Amino acid sequence: MVMAAGLGKRMRPLTATRPKPLVSVAGKPLIDHVLDRLRAAGVARAVVNVHYLADALEAHLAHQSGLEIVLSDERAQLMETGGGLVQALPLLGDAPVLVVNSDNLWIDGPIDTIKQLAARFDPDTMDALLLMVPLSRAHNHGGQGDFHLAADGRITGRRKAGRVAPFAYTGIQILHPRLIADWPEGPFSTMVFWERALAAGRAYGLVHQGLWFDVGTPGAIPKTEAILADG
């Protein structure tokens, strides 16, 4: 599932006339970078949620090839990340699902990142596997990190207020559908599901070996392009 329904407030004024996934970085829209990575990993079908300026995004996606794209329509109400997953459940099936935010851009390390994430996911021991990047390598990321990891990759806790956590969440994850249950009404964050996995000791992280960019603001675009141009 590709999360593409947000309002893109941090990307204003570029999102005044286009949805954030259609903002161009390094010569093509953000969402195209994501879809290219999905194709390269052998993903055959992607569910994409839409809300803000949905018609423009739907028209753009209609011209994609090599990947079946199914829309999860949130025009009536923006459901946030957790609510978006719930609304899309009938389209996602009953297998573990890869969830990718459309506002990040990554370059693979020694092996394909999505394939690496899929190979690491163990349904016997985990309900959530989040791709992490060391805070020191989280390009354009203005936060102070998100999580702490044990040596085996288990997430041992979230960042505490006033502290720094060594790993930032990249916006790429695999969730087991058994975790997506007993949800609150209306829009809500995926954090609701993460907290359950954390409490059960079934939330894990995988450290990304390549480059990763948080492309959430206009200022992040030239910085990202400059690093990519260096080859």
Side-chain angles (χ1 to χ4, degrees), residues 21-46:
L22 295 187
V23 170
S24 182
V25 179
K28 59 185 174 183
L30 276 168
I31 197 167
D32 286 7
H33 287 282
V34 172
L35 297 177
D36 285 349
R37 292 298 175 198
L38 296 183
R39 291 188 193 92
V43 174
R45 183 174 183 270

Side-chain angles (χ1 to χ4, degrees), residues 101-125:
N101 292 351
S102 61
D103 61 350
N104 65 69
L105 189 155
W106 73 95
I107 303 298
D108 291 331
I111 62 175
D112 184 285
T113 301
I114 293 176
K115 290 181 178 179
Q116 185 182 19
L117 198 68
R120 177 68 181 92
F121 187 81
D122 179 5
D124 292 334
T125 60

